[in-house]
Every structure is written in structure tokens, then in C-alpha cells.
Amino acid sequence: MSVGRAGVAADWPRLGFGVGLRAEHYEDVLAGSKGADWFEAITENYIDTKGRPLAVLESVRSDHPVALHGVALSIGSADPLDRRYLKALRNLADRIEPALISDHLCWSSVDGRALFDLLPLPLTEECLTHVIERVCSVQDFLGRRILLENPSTYLGWNASTIPEAEFLSELAERADCGLLLDVNNVHVSAVNLDFDSRAYLDAIPAHRVGQVHLAGFSDMGTHLFDTHSRAVSDEVWELYRYALERIGPVASMVEWDDDIPPWSRLVEELDRARQVHAQVFSSGEVGRAAVAG
Amino acid sequence: MQPSLAELQRALAARILAEEGSDLDDWICVPSEADSAARVAVYVQGYPARIREALRETFPAVAQILGDGSFAAFADRYAKDVPADLQNLNLVGAALPAYLESDRVSGDLPFLPALAELEWAVDRCFHAELLPPFAASACSGWSLDEWARARVGFQPGLALVCAPWPLRELRETYRCERSEIDVDLVDRHDQVLVYRRGFDVVVESIEAAEAEAVASLQCGDALGEVAAKLAGSGAEPAAVAGYFGRWASLGLVVSCEACPLP
């Protein structure tokens, strides 16, 4: 991937349609089952292993592009960056040569204690400056640009003064990083925190979006929960269509992490993403806003 | 004055970790019709749930023997008492065998710490690097004296777990229904060798003398010292040659070097 000039959509690799690489599908993938153009691997499942998981990842990488997607960078933590983690990530990246490296706009540890969650940040100027500095440090350390994903959110902070989409936009421009747009998370957070999901997408700089996530949520009655345990909902497919119209062609993938279905069912979901993509492209509406915006 | 980033994060962390004195409720916001307690609960309940799930995956036999309720309660005590300082859920069980030594569940089930040690060894072996095996041709011309001074290095994932319980049989209980678990514990001392064959982890019961030899070599003893220890414990000292040959044929030996004379 070129890391030179910022703000050009073509900088991001056009990977097509991918899925999360999960142990439940190792045999299918290694047997050459078709359907996915690329795979996204959860970084933490591969940085502390030299056993079968890493061998599978290397085998997959020999035939397909791979993206590394982390959950433990804790980019917004008040703690110092975790150098052990960053070294492990860099070693894995050097070994795998991923097409993309991503993590989340969140924090997951404080005072050295890991909380194993994607916790919400106060969207303030103080926090924005803090995250920008850390993204720059991480990118310098890795020698690559990273993408940050909008998380699913269940509560906000009174201290927040910047809407999340604006926060991400400013962050991406000032840190020269990319964005991983999780369309399901936009929908979940929009319902949970009562904002307009399309206005959110309108505020995202299209040229910064290097990847899109699709997933299923669960309706808990009091809120939507980002479970990744079922098919993508109709609302999210519609939002995906809207996002594509704004962003243009972009690497898209389906996450399914709980109640994981057979490979063939996962491919059906991916084929639906392909259909939406094809419909948007054939309509001539693709990238209109991206060019304008 | 607005709280700092660190103050906000400590407040949410304190609530998640069930610690006292969090100002969280004054600092969070949810839509007017929403239940803030339900929203905070997403994070508060997510933390122990993820740790329970990770521990259950790493220690399936311990979980099966304890049963869902007891294991969940135990995992919650562990999560509260043993702060996770590494950002990887796959490593969260590192201190669990030692923690079990003093936890109340081991009172009635005293084999649990050793069983947990075995399950942790299996997990680490699965993720360990597999180094090129030692080439026997490298020492084909060695004298008996050189063999006696030889120190042996094993594959990084190799582990030995010994206990006065039938560990290997206890580990197999994760495959059966809890109501069907029936393991005779009396006079069932077991020495279990954990190693990799390809990507598969092998869990093998070995005789006491072989276990003594492995333990001695892992401590850095030379083969001659191992033979002397075997003789001291009433075993056949020459057996070490047979053990070495077996380990080498399984690819468990990665180095063998004759130490210089003192």
C-alpha cells in the first residue's frame, strides 16, 4: 500500500469481499473452499503463537491478501502505549505483510489493567489530540498507516463535545490514518445513542475509508448489542448501500464470531454484499459523493 | 471542571471491576428514554463473561469437573483477584493453576491445581514454536565420556506435569457429560509428558524413571548426572540411553552438546 500522499481513495487496496478468518473455518479455507477474496485475522490470535494458528495464517496468506484487525491497541487509553504489544504487532506484520492493519477508536486498559473490551472515549479536544499523537507514534513504529474502526457504543460521556464522525474525520486527516467503517456499528450506535446514521456517514471523509465491516447485531430490548452472531440485518444492508454510494468501491468483509455458521452460509452473506456492491455500481451512483467530498 | 481522560477511564474501569467509589454515574450520558444502568451493564457484564469464556476454552476439564455455576463463580474470583496486565485474552489463564492452590474449590477437589497445570501446558504447547529436531549424526563419533557430559535441549513446548492423581484420565473428562465423570483417584500417581507431533499436542503418561530423567535434564543436568540420579532412586541408569533414543525419534530433542571438561 502506498503511504505517500494522503487523501486519495486509490491508496487503499481494492481487496474485494472478505471474511474473518476463524478457527471453525480453517479446514474449509485450507481445503481451498471458494467464496472469499481475502481474509481478516484477529491480530491477538496470532501474535503470541508459533503453532498451528500462525501456520494457517501463513498458508492463507500465500494464496490471499490478509488484513490484521486488532482489539487490544487501546489507542485512546491514558496509559502509555504498550511497547510489547506494538513489537509483537510489528513482527507479525513483517511476517505476514498484511494488506491493511486496523484497530478500534476506543480504550481497553488503564493503569496497566486490561479490561478486554472496546470502551467508549470521551470525544473531546483533549482526547482527540491524545489519540492523534498516539496514532502517529504507532504508524511511525510500524512503518505503515493504520485504520481505526468506529466502535459499537452503548453510552456517551457528558464531557464529549465532538460528534463521533467529526472526531474520526479530524483524527484521520491530522494523523494521516485510514478509517475502517463498520456499518453495523454505525447502526447499533445510532439506535443506542439516538443519532442519524446517514448523517454520520455523510460526515465521514470517503477518501479515508479503506475498509468496511458488516455484521449482525442482537436486539436486547433496551439497546442493540453488537454480537456478530447472526446475519446482517436489512437496515444494515441499506446503510451499506448508502455507504457505498458515498465511498465508492471499498474492501468489504463480513464478521461472524458467535454461533458461527458453516462456510457455505458465510459465503451466502458475502455474496449478498457482492450483490449490493454490483447494484450500486451498475446504477452509476458510485463514488459520486466521494468525488464531491 | 471537566474530569480528565484518565479520571473518566478509571471511573468506568472501577465500575467494571466492581471497585468502590466510582463517580461514573455523574459523567455518563444516554438518551433520555434509555436505562443508563442497562447500558453500563453491557460493559460491566462483558468483562467477566469474556474471562470466563477464555478460561473455559483453556481449561475445559477443570470447567467440566466444576460444572457451569461453580466454574463461573471461580472464574469471577480469579478475574477479581488476579489483574490481567497483558492485553491478550488467550494469556489470561497463566496464573490460574497457582491461584487454584489456595482457592476453596480445591478443598474437595485437591487434584484441580495439577489438572489446571496440565491444561495450561497443553495450551502453551499448542502455541509453541516447533524447532528443527536434533540430528543424531552430529554425535555419532562421541565417546562414553562425551555422552556423560552431554546436556540436552527439548522442544520449547515440551512440558512435564507430575502429580499423585491420574492426570491424563482427569483431562479426558472434558469429552464426557459431567454426570458420567467417574475417575478412581486412589493410588493413581501420574507423570504426563506434553509435546507436539506436527500441530497436534500429545499428552502421554510415562513411567516415573523417564519423568525423573526429563525433569533432571530440564534442570540442566548432563546425561551422566541423570544416570546417577536414576541409579540413586533405584532405576536402571542405562535406561537413559533408551529414553534419549525415544525422545530423539519423536523429534523432542533440539540440541545435545557435550559440556567442556571442568
Side-chain angles (χ1 to χ4, degrees), chain A residues 18-246:
Chain A
V19 296
L21 180 62
R22 305 294 180 257
E24 287 79 355
H25 295 136
Y26 278 176
E27 297 307 326
D28 296 289
V29 174
L30 294 175
S33 296
K34 304 295 183 192
D37 302 323
W38 60 282
F39 293 88
E40 184 187 81
I42 300 295
T43 304
E44 290 71 19
N45 288 341
Y46 300 93
I47 60 174
D48 287 309
T49 182
K50 291 183 176 173
R52 184 167 188 247
L54 184 60
V56 170
L57 182 62
E58 289 184 318
S59 176
V60 170
R61 177 66 188 93
S62 68
D63 295 325
H64 299 86
V66 165
L68 292 177
H69 183 53
V71 294
L73 181 59
S74 199
I75 197 71
S77 173
D79 282 358
L81 285 166
D82 182 344
R83 291 285 158 182
R84 188 201 82 92
Y85 177 83
L86 284 177
K87 283 179 186 170
L89 173 57
R90 185 171 64 184
N91 289 342
L92 181 63
D94 288 346
R95 189 162 183 158
I96 297 298
E97 296 182 358
L100 297 165
I101 296 179
S102 62
D103 206 290
H104 299 79
L105 177 68
C106 71
W107 62 284
S108 54
S109 59
V110 68
D111 296 330
R113 186 138 187 196
L115 297 165
F116 306 119
D117 207 340
L118 308 173
L119 300 167
L121 284 167
L123 302 176
T124 62
E125 289 293 341
E126 175 203 8
C127 184
L128 178 60
T129 302
H130 178 68
V131 175
I132 288 169
E133 288 173 359
R134 287 161 67 94
V135 169
C136 291
S137 294
V138 169
Q139 293 184 145
D140 287 347
F141 186 83
L142 297 177
R144 304 161 188 262
R145 269 201 289 182
I146 63 169
L147 291 80
L148 285 183
E149 175 183 342
N150 56 297
S152 285
T153 311
Y154 306 95
L155 56 82
W157 296 99
N158 286 324
S160 292
T161 55
I162 309 171
E164 184 176 282
E166 287 180 31
F167 190 98
L168 283 165
S169 174
E170 193 72 11
L171 167 64
E173 294 300 332
R174 288 166 58 186
D176 189 20
C177 68
L179 298 177
L180 194 173
L181 180 64
D182 189 314
V183 180
N184 180 61
N185 288 355
V186 173
H187 177 68
V188 166
S189 297
V191 171
N192 288 343
L193 299 185
D194 194 22
F195 64 76
D196 183 338
S197 56
R198 294 192 175 212
Y200 183 104
L201 293 178
D202 290 342
I204 292 288
H207 62 279
R208 288 287 176 184
V209 179
Q211 186 186 333
V212 164
H213 270 176
L214 294 159
F217 63 83
S218 298
D219 189 339
M220 312 303 286
T222 54
H223 57 277
L224 302 186
F225 193 32
D226 181 29
T227 48
H228 296 187
S229 63
R230 55 186 63 194
V232 179
S233 72
D234 289 342
E235 304 100 304
V236 172
W237 284 122
E238 279 308 307
L239 206 54
Y240 177 54
R241 182 187 304 275
Y242 185 79
L244 288 180
E245 288 170 358
R246 279 196 38 77

Side-chain angles (χ1 to χ4, degrees), chain B residues 13-62:
Chain B
R15 183 65 62 85
I16 291 170
L17 300 171
E19 294 170 351
E20 300 293 323
S22 170
D23 292 322
L24 185 70
D25 294 332
D26 296 335
W27 295 342
I28 60 169
C29 62
V30 297
S32 55
E33 71 280 9
D35 177 357
S36 64
R39 301 300 181 83
V40 174
V42 172
Y43 301 109
V44 171
Q45 293 170 2
Y47 175 72
R50 288 186 183 90
I51 291 181
R52 277 182 225 134
E53 186 180 341
L55 294 178
R56 187 180 300 277
E57 197 167 305
T58 307
F59 302 97
V62 170

